[in-house]
Amino acid sequence: MASTATSFCSPPLTSSRASVLRQCQQLNPNRLSFPINLNTAKRAPNLTVQHAPLPLKVLCARGKRGTTAKKPATSDPVYRNRLVNMFVNRILKKGKKSLAYNIIYQALKNIQQKTQSNPLAVLREAVNGVTPDVAVKARRVGGSTQQVPIEVGTFQGKALAIRWLLEASRKRSGRSMVLKLSSEVMDAAKGTGEAIKKRETTHKMAEANRAFVHFR
């Protein structure tokens, strides 16, 4: 038996090959119980490596998108308020963030001078007044486009309110964005202004198209 094993293992193992064989025998002693010709094994044709099958959970998770967690909103460096930073990020144009910060801070200072109250409280009241409960989204229904009512979450409602406030501010007469934004925020806090009208129009449209709720 020993002579058969010796004739099978040709040429003799060197020190490096012997160390490799010793490591392989330690990993799987049952499969490597006899000597192996490493030179022949390297040049063996049709040598395939069989991997263990992946679990079903891993296969189902492949190609899944949209699972990244949303980053939490950060606060601004002066007021330490997330709502102010949301205004800054949405009024930002062409990467000029210092200009966006300047517009928002000057508008808040103008609100404080005119109302003699906390400008953050006025800003929060304006956003809460403009935030819609429902919104409408265009969907293709039966060959025609219908405005389908959809529910609005807290973050999405605030984003819509800020967008409507900024759009209404830009449509105001005048050249100073600081004065237009501060005036629109103060009007929205009182329950008036174009942003409040936009919210009421959206609610009326959603009520008129409530028959298409099941198409969302």
Side-chain angles (χ1 to χ4, degrees):
M1 184 71 182
S3 61
T4 306
T6 305
S7 61
F8 180 79
C9 182
S10 177
L13 296 175
T14 61
S15 59
S16 60
R17 295 176 183 173
S19 61
V20 172
L21 179 60
R22 196 179 304 112
Q23 293 177 2
C24 295
Q25 288 176 349
Q26 290 176 1
L27 292 176
N28 197 347
N30 296 329
R31 191 172 180 179
L32 301 174
S33 58
F34 54 89
I36 295 178
N37 190 344
L38 295 181
N39 291 333
T40 308
K42 289 181 180 179
R43 297 190 300 268
N46 300 328
L47 185 62
T48 59
V49 180
Q50 295 182 357
H51 300 279
L54 294 175
L56 183 62
K57 184 181 294 185
V58 176
L59 295 177
C60 293
R62 287 184 176 182
K64 193 174 182 180
R65 298 180 180 179
T67 58
T68 56
K70 293 184 178 180
K71 295 182 180 180
T74 57
S75 57
D76 70 292
V78 175
Y79 290 95
R80 304 292 180 182
N81 190 276
R82 295 181 179 179
L83 187 60
V84 174
N85 199 50
M86 290 175 67
F87 266 92
V88 171
N89 291 334
R90 281 159 179 79
I91 202 174
L92 177 67
K93 283 188 175 182
K94 298 181 180 180
K96 299 180 180 179
K97 201 157 191 176
S98 59
L99 179 60
Y101 274 119
N102 188 24
I103 292 173
I104 298 299
Y105 290 155
Q106 291 294 331
L108 292 176
K109 185 177 180 181
N110 193 16
I111 292 172
Q112 184 178 8
Q113 292 176 354
K114 290 185 177 181
T115 60
Q116 298 296 323
S117 59
N118 187 4
L120 295 180
V122 178
L123 183 65
R124 193 177 300 110
E125 187 177 356
V127 171
N128 292 336
V130 180
T131 302
D133 299 326
V134 292
V136 291
K137 189 174 183 179
R139 292 290 175 87
R140 193 75 174 175
V141 179
S144 60
T145 304
Q146 302 292 341
Q147 299 294 330
V148 179
I150 58 173
E151 296 179 0
V152 177
T154 305
F155 182 82
Q156 186 181 4
K158 285 185 178 180
L160 284 174
I162 293 173
R163 185 191 306 171
W164 293 345
L165 283 169
L166 293 177
E167 289 178 357
S169 300
R170 294 187 180 101
K171 291 179 181 179
R172 280 178 170 263
S173 59
R175 299 186 62 181
S176 176
M177 186 60 185
V178 174
L179 297 178
K180 293 192 292 185
L181 178 59
S182 58
S183 301
E184 186 63 32
V185 169
M186 288 186 291
D187 289 346
K190 297 175 184 177
T192 59
E194 291 296 327
I196 295 293
K197 292 181 180 179
K198 178 69 174 179
R199 175 181 179 270
E200 295 176 353
T201 304
T202 303
H203 282 181
K204 290 179 181 179
M205 190 178 300
E207 182 67 24
N209 294 277
R210 63 184 305 173
F212 302 103
V213 174
H214 59 283
F215 288 108
R216 60 184 177 180

